[in-house]
């Protein structure tokens, strides 16, 4: 990347309202990011987040509150027969807009941190074609929604 002329002298300006810094503040902990990942994987109930992420209930609670306050998640009430009413968490359109972020990080990790093949493969459900994140100037490229993605495993289940 290069800067336009007026921004080329980096000593003359500061990125005080940097969007990257703001996203990092929102997703500031591993737990918060893993809660977001689990939402894309279909997890919606508190106790399932705790079990699948493998961290403490207070850490999950903080992450859910942080994502909810940023309007990435919303609560929806549910009630199991004979149990008290509870809330489940669902991605909002704002949260759905983080799909490329989650997939880009997974894609980078697959390419640079995995020994051998990636443990999961993300494909377009209707075509079976692999989904990947790329930077493009083509405004006519159709985006794939999370509901159109199937996650396939490249490992044997226990």
């Amino acid at each position: 990347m290069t800067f336009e002329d007026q921004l080329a002298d980096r000593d003359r300006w500061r990125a005080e309202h940097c969007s990257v810094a703001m996203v990092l503040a929102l997703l500031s902990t591993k737990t918060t990011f893993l809660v977001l990942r689990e939402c894309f994987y279909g997890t919606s109930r508190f106790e399932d987040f705790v079990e699948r992420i493998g961290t403490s209930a207070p850490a999950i609670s903080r992450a859910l509150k942080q994502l909810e306050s940023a309007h990435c998640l919303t609560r929806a009430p549910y009630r199991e027969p004979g149990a008290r009413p509870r809330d489940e968490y669902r991605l909002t359109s704002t949260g759905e807009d983080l799909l490329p972020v989650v997939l880009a990080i997974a894609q980078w990790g697959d390419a640079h941190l995995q020994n051998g093949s990636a443990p999961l493969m993300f494909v377009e459900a209707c075509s079976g074609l692999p989904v990947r994140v790329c930077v493009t100037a083509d405004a006519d490229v159709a985006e794939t929604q999370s509901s159109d993605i199937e996650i396939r495993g490249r490992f044997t289940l226990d």
Side-chain angles (χ1 to χ4, degrees):
M1 287 191 268
T2 59
F3 288 100
E4 68 176 329
D5 289 343
Q6 70 180 9
L7 298 176
D9 183 357
R10 296 288 311 276
D11 293 332
R12 295 190 61 213
W13 66 277
R14 293 177 356 127
E16 293 178 16
H17 302 287
C18 174
S19 295
V20 172
M22 294 171 81
V23 171
L24 290 174
L26 170 63
L27 304 175
S28 61
T29 67
K30 179 180 175 180
T31 300
T32 304
F33 201 91
L34 293 176
V35 164
L36 181 62
R37 177 203 66 190
E38 284 300 316
C39 288
F40 281 110
Y41 288 1
T43 303
S44 62
R45 296 183 178 180
F46 183 83
E47 49 282 340
D48 293 334
F49 286 111
V50 173
E51 180 182 332
R52 292 186 178 128
I53 295 171
T55 193
S56 70
I60 297 294
S61 180
R62 282 190 299 274
L64 289 166
K65 286 177 185 171
Q66 189 164 345
L67 290 167
E68 187 179 15
S69 70
H71 309 288
C72 294
L73 298 179
T74 188
R75 292 180 191 216
Y78 76 94
R79 185 178 190 154
E80 295 286 341
R84 68 178 175 84
R86 295 179 159 223
D87 289 329
E88 61 182 11
Y89 298 86
R90 297 183 184 155
L91 286 165
T92 62
S93 60
T94 300
E96 284 281 343
D97 284 346
L98 286 166
L99 176 63
V101 175
V102 174
L103 290 179
I105 288 174
Q107 183 177 310
W108 187 90
D110 291 346
H112 300 287
L113 301 177
Q114 293 290 343
N115 294 325
S117 65
L120 299 175
M121 186 168 70
F122 302 89
V123 300
E124 187 180 51
C126 65
S127 69
L129 294 172
V131 173
R132 65 183 187 86
V133 178
C134 68
V135 177
T136 180
D138 186 352
D140 294 330
V141 174
E143 291 187 36
T144 302
Q145 303 300 310
S146 65
S147 59
D148 299 326
I149 296 174
E150 180 178 272
I151 303 169
R152 297 181 180 171
R154 292 186 172 169
F155 52 87
T156 55
L157 299 174
D158 295 335

